[in-house]
Amino acid sequence: MSALSRFLPLFARHRGAFLAALSLSLITLAAGIGLLAVSGWFLTAAFLAGAAASFNLFGPSAAVRGLSFLRIAARYGERLSGHDATLKLLTDIRAWLFARLLPRAGPVGSGLKRGELVARLTADVDTLDVVFLLAFGPMLTALVAGLGMTVILAFLLPLAAPGFALAFLAAALGVPLLLVRATRRAGAAAVEAAGALRGEALDGAAGRTDILALGAQDRFFEGLDGAAQALARARLSIGRRAALAQAGVHILTGAALVAVLVPGILAVSAGQLGGPGLAGLLLATIGSFEATATITRSVARLGAAAAAAQRLSDIADAPLSRKLPGRLTDVPSGALRLERLCVGHAGRAALGPVTLTVRPAALVAVKGPSGSGKSTLLLSILALLPPLEGRVTIGGVDIAELSADTLYGTVALLEQDAPVFIGTIRDNLALAAPQAPDDALWQALERARLDQLVRSLPGGLDAPVGEAGHTLSTGEGRRLALARILLTPARILLLDEPTSGLDGQAEDAFLRDLRRACAGRTVVLATHAELPAHAVDAVWTLRDGRLDAEAMDR
């Protein structure tokens, strides 16, 4: 549970809304208890009075109706404020998490499958919604209601108060704490299994063509079925323990009823308490245990919430992929230079030493086979991989001295698998320039040679591209990503295998258009493609992490 405490400052931001939800929840529970108590007293008193004209039917009837409407209104308000605060909290948690992940872009995903990382960024955050809404909130409400009921019994039926208090405390606090302890391991297993299942599904969707081509359907479905069964076992284990806890609460409810009934009968026999009053107290006792039943259904998920919080903390505390940014906000114009740069992991150099100078507005290519260090080179220019030796400078200024905003406003990366997001053409372009006017969007599309296609689409800039851009071809999606990066103010563009997956004709056309599209900017192109004549100013080749000294002008 210690991992959950890390998120308390984020909870504190919404304490007003959570307190409102807690207050409304308490009013709801109190109205329910009062409704049962008044109803029990009313029906019993009416039965005992018979047809006596002196019995007042209107007062209790009005109280029943009033409490019913109060309970409905309070319940609605509690759900509205509680869910609103929870959704805002989850938004804050995501913002906090991504702010922590940005300087950890390299190490954060090491050792994790794609599906596992997606699960941590989405499902694990969503799992935290139970912490207040379904667990701590109802528990606090129940304890306050139990205290109030104990005080009432202490005045009306003193002998019943201790027994009720013990039974209620056991149901509202003891059983939930035991349940949290009993489901902690199963909750962690459920979170891990859910992540594994999601990973299997994502991998299967992404690699469905290869799975079918290689006839690996049986092996894929075995892995998927294994992950599903592991999740089912974990959830069944949690469900069994929750059912036992629920049974324990029902037993404690019966014990509380006995603790009220026995002294109540004695009090009625002695003339100290009327029969209708005893009926009202018994039904109020049952109503007070309503919140405890809710607690046991939701507290079983706290183990999963604690495991999710720990998983989020693990990736949020991954080692920094670069030094903390400096404070300089001005980058002088000048060459991009790598000075005896060595980059690697765990003290072992995967690249270098590399010395390279790229003059302003030049378009250069870095070629080499897969694993030669091309992507590593680009990541080091973005300071996403800290150098073991040497440095990267822009206009003579070490990038380690720049603020993050300045560095990423000067250097932009177009990744090999740059995504096209679900939405419209405009939505995808707006990621780079949210306030850009339509003229700027069309200019970027024209430079990427995508403007004619977009003009032909129904809706133009507002044409939907579908999930992952499925309405566009691979080449069109790549050009849309290029147009997006052209909307940034960055004067240095890093392109990592931008033609990967394109056919020969689309690849050739894309590379021929680069100089025109990126005119006036410095471009470093990492590729293993065959370059058309005069497509770039110079070519360097990386082999085994080292840059060939020979350059070829184009």
Side-chain angles (χ1 to χ4, degrees), residues 114-179:
R114 174 172 169 243
E116 289 183 76
L117 187 56
V118 169
R120 296 194 185 199
L121 297 178
T122 55
D124 284 0
V125 174
D126 291 337
T127 302
L128 297 182
D129 69 352
V130 306
V131 174
F132 176 85
L133 198 61
L134 299 176
F136 291 150
M139 189 179 294
L140 290 173
T141 300
L143 289 174
V144 173
L147 177 62
M149 188 66 191
T150 302
V151 171
I152 292 174
L153 287 172
F155 279 99
L156 299 179
L157 197 61
L159 292 177
F164 170 85
L166 288 175
F168 194 89
L169 192 63
L173 199 58
V175 171
L177 291 178
L178 288 174
L179 182 59

Side-chain angles (χ1 to χ4, degrees), residues 210-221:
D210 291 337
I211 291 173
L212 292 173
L214 298 173
Q217 299 97 312
D218 290 342
R219 191 168 67 178
F220 166 71
F221 283 118

